[in-house]
């Protein structure tokens, strides 16, 4: 089977790695991919927002299945583009429509959706450029911390949590009037602050039936102790120890079922992954956000725990036949520590030689910001590698990942030393 994956992160390397374990032979293509995917697939270096070029690749390589990894092409309507094109409309597709992708692409849309379907989430109000005054007044009426969310996509940077009222007002003005976050910030959701511990729940949905995938927890901040700037993700763990049976059944009943029913009731065309960011507040689950894709770095610990043929799962999702699949999971605990370029998430250098990759490691190594030049693998982004290990004990899984990290080197390598510290 000819399969095309869109994206260039460790999430997409994980897709390739898992699909290559399928009993069905595959020809894999990745747009644009990285040095890791290049070992398993043919990388095609075109921009992920160039739909016409993506179509050319689908035709040229007779692609039968398309899996869209990141949110931006989904929010921009790549699925609709494929479905509406006479020459490529029969391509099996894992990735929701442009309308469905608004669950991630517009905070206001997703909050309205939750309100409409009685899904627990923080109370909120939305403000536009012409209701700035009302927004400022609203901030004065609520108590800190103030949670300000740019409505549109902002590469994970669009959520501001601010303690000081003056700063919160300032930032609201910056978004609504001074173009901070560009068009994405011309509408702002202000919502109540929820105090608790977060987890990421994942499912596959074929338009009728859904399948719960293993859950995971990610570590977003750059510094140990979960301090400092937000990043794309510095580590992850699956399963999540505090998500016991009782809590998960609450999540199922109060969040997952009403979300699926809501998507169907609203007539939203949705086939693909759904990622629900949940916060546990006093044993009760609330939705922080929806994402219309898998998480990164969560995928790197979720996929290794799935025993099923992942390619079959993708085909059956695209075909509307998820009912035929019963998930089988591995009980081991998986831990992922992300190696990044020093300076990330602010400015950092690229092109550093990575050494030690070809030694024997007791870990799975998945690439993100890497590229191959001649025989060398060089850093090519902020997040460089995901180092994943398993054990029946979290502490041992982590130790294995840290051991692997000690044998891999590049100039100014950085990683968090405390992944899993809170569990
Ligand atoms: P989001 O992009 O909506 O997931 O927000 C990014 C991060 O901000 C989340 O993962 C949370 O850690 C935090 N966050 C978002 N909304 C809230 C909230 N209402 N209360 C507390 N923390 C929040
Ligand atoms: N790990 C969070 C995300 O993928 O958005």
């Amino acid at each position: 089977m000819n399969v095309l994956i869109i994206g260039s992160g460790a999430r997409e390397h994980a897709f390739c790695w898992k699909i290559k374990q399928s009993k069905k032979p595959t020809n894999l293509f990745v747009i644009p991919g990285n040095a890791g995917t290049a070992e398993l697939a043919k990388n095609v270096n075109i921009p992920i927002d160039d739909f016409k070029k993506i179509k050319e690749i689908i035709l040229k390589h007779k692609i039968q299945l398309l899996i869209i990894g990141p949110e931006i092409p989904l929010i921009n309507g790549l699925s609709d583009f494929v479905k509406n094109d006479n020459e490529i409309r029969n391509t099996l597709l894992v990735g929701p429509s442009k309308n469905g992708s608004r669950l991630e692409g517009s905070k206001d849309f997703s909050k309205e959706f939750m309100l409409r379907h009685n899904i627990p989430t923080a109370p909120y109000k939305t403000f536009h450029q012409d209701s700035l005054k009302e927004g400022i007044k609203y901030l004065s009426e609520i108590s800190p911390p103030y949670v300000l969310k740019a409505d549109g996509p902002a590469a994970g940077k669009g959520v501001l949590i601010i303690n000081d009222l003056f700063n919160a007002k300032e930032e609201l003005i910056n978004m609504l009037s001074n173009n901070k976050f560009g068009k994405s910030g011309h509408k702002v959701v202000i919502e109540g602050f929820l105090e608790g511990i977060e987890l990421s729940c994942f499912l596959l949905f074929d338009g009728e039936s859904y399948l719960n995938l293993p859950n995971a927890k990610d570590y977003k901040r750059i510094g140990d102790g979960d301090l400092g700037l937000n990043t794309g993700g510095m580590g992850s763990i699956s399963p999540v120890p505090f998500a016991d049976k009782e809590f998960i059944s609450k999540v199922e009943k109060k969040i997952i079922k009403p979300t699926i029913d809501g998507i169907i009731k609203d007539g939203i065309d949705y086939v693909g992954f759904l990622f629900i960011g949940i916060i546990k507040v006093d044993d009760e689950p609330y939705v922080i956000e929806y994402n219309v894709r898998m998480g990164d770095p969560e995928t790197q610990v979720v996929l290794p725990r799935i025993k099923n043929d992942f390619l079959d799962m993708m085909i059956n999702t695209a075909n509307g036949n998820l009912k035929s699949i019963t998930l089988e999971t591995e009980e081991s605990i998986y831990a992922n520590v992300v190696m990044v370029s020093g300076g990330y998430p602010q400015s950092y250098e690229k092109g550093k030689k990575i050494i030690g990759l070809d030694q024997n490691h007791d870990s799975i190594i998945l690439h993100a910001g890497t590229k191959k030049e001649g025989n060398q693998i060089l850093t090519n982004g902020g997040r460089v590698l995901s180092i994943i290990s398993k054990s029946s004990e979290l502490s041992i899984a982590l130790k294995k990942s840290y051991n692997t990290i000690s044998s891999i080197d590049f100039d100014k390598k950085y990683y968090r030393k405390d992944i899993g510290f809170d569990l």
Side-chain angles (χ1 to χ4, degrees):
M1 180 169 220
N2 299 334
V3 182
L4 172 62
I5 295 166
I6 308 285
S8 62
R11 167 181 53 207
E12 287 75 22
H13 190 190
F15 287 155
C16 292
W17 172 83
K18 197 70 186 166
I19 286 173
K20 274 292 171 191
Q21 295 165 17
S22 168
K23 55 185 186 306
K24 281 196 183 69
T26 53
N27 289 313
L28 281 180
F29 299 85
V30 187
I31 296 175
N34 56 43
T37 64
E39 298 290 315
L40 307 169
K42 181 176 165 44
N43 285 349
V44 184
N45 193 15
I46 60 173
I48 61 172
D49 55 3
D50 192 334
F51 294 176
K52 269 171 89 179
K53 288 223 170 84
I54 292 175
K55 174 183 168 179
E56 283 168 24
I57 296 302
I58 292 175
L59 288 171
K60 180 174 171 194
H61 297 291
K62 301 189 170 57
I63 297 298
Q64 294 154 294
L65 169 68
L66 171 64
I67 303 171
I68 305 168
E71 64 277 17
I72 292 299
L74 290 165
I75 292 169
N76 291 342
L78 180 54
S79 294
D80 310 63
F81 173 84
V82 172
K83 271 184 287 193
N84 294 328
D85 187 291
N86 279 335
E87 290 177 280
I88 55 172
R89 65 186 332 149
N90 292 329
T91 315
L92 292 173
L93 195 57
V94 178
S97 66
K98 187 171 183 168
N99 186 32
S101 299
R102 286 202 289 163
L103 283 173
E104 174 163 4
S106 166
K107 299 280 186 200
D108 181 48
F109 177 86
S110 75
K111 294 296 280 191
E112 275 186 4
F113 175 90
M114 289 181 248
L115 200 66
R116 189 161 59 244
H117 299 292
N118 285 316
I119 296 163
T121 188
Y124 80 105
K125 273 197 172 158
T126 302
F127 298 93
H128 305 251
Q129 287 181 304
D130 53 11
S131 53
L132 173 62
K133 261 198 193 144
E134 287 87 337
I136 288 177
K137 184 161 166 273
Y138 182 66
L139 284 172
S140 307
E141 290 162 6
I142 60 175
S143 39
Y146 307 97
V147 182
L148 273 57
K149 298 187 171 182
D151 178 59
K157 299 189 178 79
V159 175
L160 305 177
I161 298 178
I162 304 167
N163 282 310
D164 178 76
L165 178 60
F166 180 82
N167 288 342
K169 289 180 177 175
E170 198 91 321
E171 287 294 4
L172 183 66
I173 295 168
N174 282 339
M175 287 202 255
L176 288 180
S177 298
N178 299 337
N179 241 5
K180 182 166 184 170
F181 306 125
K183 212 175 140 228
S184 288
H186 291 176
K187 224 193 230 188
V188 174
V189 167
I190 301 180
E191 68 174 40
F193 180 79
L194 298 172
E195 177 99 62
I197 184 157
E198 290 176 57
L199 79 153
S200 306
C201 290
F202 299 97
L203 48 101
L204 272 170
F205 182 49
D206 69 4
E208 272 180 27
S209 311
Y210 69 94
L211 181 71
N212 285 316
L213 304 178
N215 55 36
K217 175 172 168 49
D218 74 338
Y219 292 81
K220 290 191 170 72
R221 304 278 181 158
I222 187 71
D224 286 356
D226 235 5
L227 298 172
L229 293 173
N230 249 324
T231 70
M234 297 297 291
S236 52
I237 279 163
S238 180
V240 181
F242 63 82
D244 55 28
K245 264 203 172 124
E246 196 188 337
F247 182 71
I248 289 301
S249 74
K250 275 189 195 169
V251 169
E252 184 84 33
K253 183 165 159 257
K254 297 185 176 182
I255 291 175
I256 296 177
K257 285 218 167 82
T259 298
I260 293 297
D261 290 346
I263 291 175
I264 294 171
K265 199 167 162 199
D266 290 353
I268 296 171
D269 182 7
Y270 201 108
V271 173
F273 294 100
L274 179 65
F275 162 178
I276 314 182
I278 287 174
I279 189 162
K280 183 184 185 191
V281 184
D282 297 332
D283 271 332
E284 285 300 318
Y286 293 81
V287 176
I288 288 278
E289 64 167 349
Y290 291 114
N291 294 309
V292 296
R293 52 177 173 81
M294 280 300 287
D296 186 339
E298 291 97 327
T299 304
Q300 296 91 299
V301 288
V302 168
L303 293 200
R305 291 193 54 222
I306 296 176
K307 286 189 187 163
N308 305 62
D309 187 312
F310 188 66
L311 180 61
D312 267 352
M313 286 171 69
M314 295 294 93
I315 295 169
N316 282 298
T317 302
N319 272 335
N321 198 21
L322 255 185
K323 270 202 297 278
S324 66
I325 294 186
T326 310
L327 190 77
E328 291 172 55
T329 53
E330 198 185 313
E331 286 317 306
S332 301
I333 299 170
Y334 278 81
N336 168 23
V337 182
V338 177
M339 299 177 72
V340 306
S341 301
Y344 172 80
Q346 290 171 296
S347 65
Y348 56 84
E349 292 166 29
K350 295 182 188 176
K352 309 289 183 191
K353 191 170 142 189
I354 307 174
I355 55 169
L357 284 172
D358 43 12
Q359 294 175 29
N360 266 337
H361 300 290
D362 203 2
S363 308
I364 304 162
I365 299 174
L366 295 173
H367 292 226
T370 65
K371 69 172 178 187
K372 198 160 182 187
E373 254 182 37
N375 282 332
Q376 289 182 349
I377 297 191
L378 308 179
T379 65
N380 193 37
R383 290 191 292 169
V384 178
L385 299 166
S386 269
I387 311 296
I388 304 110
S389 313
K390 73 165 173 174
S391 168
S392 56
E393 278 178 53
L394 176 59
S395 60
I396 297 176
L398 283 162
K399 207 165 163 191
K400 286 184 187 172
S401 282
Y402 285 117
N403 261 337
T404 300
I405 287 177
S406 68
S407 65
I408 296 174
D409 205 19
F410 53 87
D411 186 30
K412 300 200 179 78
K413 83 172 179 188
Y414 174 81
Y415 55 95
R416 267 180 66 169
K417 320 285 182 292
D418 70 337
I419 298 304
F421 76 100
D422 52 341
L423 301 175

